[in-house]
Amino acid sequence: MNKKTLIVAIIALALDQITKILIESTVKLNTSIKIIKGFFNITSCHNPGVAWGMLSNNRILILLITIIAIIIISRFIKSFKNNTRNNIAFGLIIGGLTGNLADRIIFGYVRDFLDFMIINYDYPVFNVADMAIVIGVILLIYAVIKGEDQSEDNSGRSGRKTRQIPSK
């Protein structure tokens, strides 16, 4: 992982943890503060699972999957073109995964608080780490569409580096 990606990951992790601490210290658990009526609330809640509360009773499985995902993504970075957008994308994903992983390790659940109602659908409550992951994935999808999913080292036909043989 390069320095730029690491910096973005640390910033994403810090913003996630700071916002969770701030909400936890100001909003009582399982209560909401209306910010924009019928659209956005700050709702303090705990999620022992993943998206939409799935795998709620499988903490160890979630921890293992998250750790494996961070390792795979960290190794996968090298296959993408080294540019600012990709560095930001991977940093956001790793920072977001690490933020929620920290919660799961320390508390046994993830602290969520962003609560949106979109077209009469009360979207599941989420946090800054979740936003970082989603934005990072969208940026990587864009990179793939633009053909930036191949680093200069992997751009050859066979996907291997070619070696120049000096002429005599």
Side-chain angles (χ1 to χ4, degrees), residues 3-137:
K3 187 177 179 180
K4 291 176 188 176
T5 303
L6 182 60
I7 289 169
V8 172
I10 290 169
I11 291 169
L13 172 62
L15 285 174
D16 175 63
Q17 293 299 305
I18 290 167
T19 56
K20 288 172 178 175
I21 291 167
L22 179 65
I23 296 302
E24 202 169 46
S25 66
T26 58
V27 181
K28 188 176 174 182
L29 184 62
N30 297 322
T31 62
S32 295
I33 298 172
K34 288 182 180 118
I35 305 299
I36 301 173
K37 187 179 179 183
F39 178 69
F40 176 57
N41 297 326
I42 297 292
T43 302
S44 176
C45 63
H46 297 160
N47 181 0
V50 292
W52 288 273
M54 294 184 296
L55 300 174
S56 290
N57 297 321
N58 293 296
R59 180 176 177 223
I60 300 299
L61 178 63
I62 295 169
L63 290 171
L64 287 173
I65 289 170
T66 305
I67 292 167
I68 291 167
I70 291 170
I71 292 167
I72 290 170
I73 291 166
S74 296
R75 292 176 183 238
F76 195 59
I77 292 170
K78 293 176 186 140
S79 69
F80 272 67
K81 185 175 182 180
N82 184 11
N83 64 25
T84 300
R85 182 178 41 258
N86 292 343
N87 291 331
I88 291 170
F90 282 112
L92 289 172
I93 293 168
I94 291 169
L97 287 171
T98 305
N100 283 341
L101 178 64
D103 273 14
R104 287 190 179 97
I105 290 170
I106 295 166
F107 304 110
Y109 53 81
V110 171
R111 299 169 290 171
D112 289 330
F113 58 91
L114 299 169
D115 186 7
F116 285 89
M117 174 75 81
I118 302 172
I119 311 172
N120 293 326
Y121 175 69
D122 191 6
Y123 197 78
V125 183
F126 58 98
N127 58 44
V128 172
D130 299 329
M131 287 182 4
I133 294 166
V134 169
I135 292 167
V137 168

